[in-house]
Amino acid sequence: MTNDGLDSGSDGAAPPVVLKLGGSLITEKDRPETLDDERLAAACDAIADALADGTVDRLVVVHGGGSFGHHHASEHGVSTSAGTRDPAAVADVHGAMTTLNRAVLDRLRDRDVSAVPVHPLSLAARPDGAGGDLDLPLSSTSTLLGEGFVPVLHGDGVATAGAGVTVVSGDELVVELAAGLGARRVGVCSIVPGVLDAGGEVIPAVDSFDAVADALGASDATDVSGGMAAKVRELLALDAPAYVFGADGLGPFLRGEDAGTRVD
Ligand code: IPE
């Protein structure tokens, strides 16, 4: 199913746009618990403008962890595949992420966006264990959307069978939300301007993993390329068109234009 914005979601309402703001965009990744206030403000401006203009009417925002979540997660040895049973570790990771979430919410509400928090730790689970699939109940998010709110989720800790609490990334949440809510369009905004080829140029469109596997493997930025390869694979599996773009692409994406790399 491909949504063009005119057909209805499962509850009869217009399908939402799902947008991830990467932790690299909204925080200073090398300084623990430090916002990139300028970039965060610009992203919130773009979101507020799109909602005020009506170019987007239903929006779910997800943000990553950047220097808030990752710092605490690595300190405690917690990842998407390694869990902890230490409640203080869970409190550290979740606490840092809710602090970041509050900062995002404050800036959105300052701009008259009806943003409300949805905390994955309180909702989600990995019933099949560490590294396993995510179960994310969506009734809270879809009901909030129907009531005119903009739900704002975030990377978080997640209850994990046999492992205590692991990390759920913002990218996993985006995929679950997009598939479960029948998203119209999906946007992943970070500091990378798109999916890059081996020469560092943005690839305008990707329609199969094989076509870009070499380029992604050849990138010298291992962290980004590993993350990007996994991201592209997951986004390709979605029905909705997805876009991977940098800060400059956010306005165009929210206006319904192409931005960065289209993954479809
Ligand atoms: C990480 O989320 C969340 C935690 C470490 C708790 P993401 O993996 O989506 O964060 P970014 O966007 O890469 O920073």
Side-chain angles (χ1 to χ4, degrees), residues 183-207:
R184 181 158 64 98
R185 306 170 94 225
V186 176
V188 178
C189 182
S190 75
I191 52 170
V192 186
V195 180
L196 307 181
D197 66 18
E201 297 293 319
V202 173
I203 304 170
V206 172
D207 63 5

Side-chain angles (χ1 to χ4, degrees), residues 20 22-24 29 64-66 69-70 73 93 97 155-156 167-171:
K20 182 190 174 194
S24 63
K29 214 154 186 174
H70 289 293
V93 173
M97 289 308 302
D156 203 349
V167 165
V168 56
S169 73
D171 291 349

Side-chain angles (χ1 to χ4, degrees), residues 29-127:
K29 214 154 186 174
D30 299 329
R31 295 171 64 192
E33 299 201 23
T34 308
L35 290 175
D36 188 325
D37 247 321
E38 213 168 296
R39 284 217 186 95
L40 176 56
C44 292
D45 283 342
I47 290 170
D49 287 350
L51 290 164
D53 294 351
T55 50
V56 172
D57 62 347
R58 285 160 54 101
L59 176 68
V60 181
V61 175
V62 178
H63 63 78
S67 63
F68 286 73
H70 289 293
H71 170 70
H72 291 282
S74 64
E75 200 166 85
H76 293 291
V78 193
S79 67
T80 54
S81 56
T84 179
R85 290 198 167 80
D86 175 4
V90 177
D92 271 1
V93 173
H94 179 68
M97 289 308 302
T98 54
T99 300
L100 177 57
N101 187 242
R102 212 170 305 120
V104 174
L105 290 165
D106 285 348
R107 283 157 183 76
L108 287 171
R109 279 197 305 260
D110 283 349
R111 292 163 173 78
D112 294 328
V113 175
S114 303
V116 292
V118 174
H119 302 303
L121 177 62
S122 309
L123 288 178
R126 292 193 201 281

Side-chain angles (χ1 to χ4, degrees), residues 3-21:
N3 282 312
D4 60 8
L6 298 175
D7 48 352
S8 292
S10 53
D11 60 353
V17 171
V18 175
L19 170 68
K20 182 190 174 194
L21 300 176

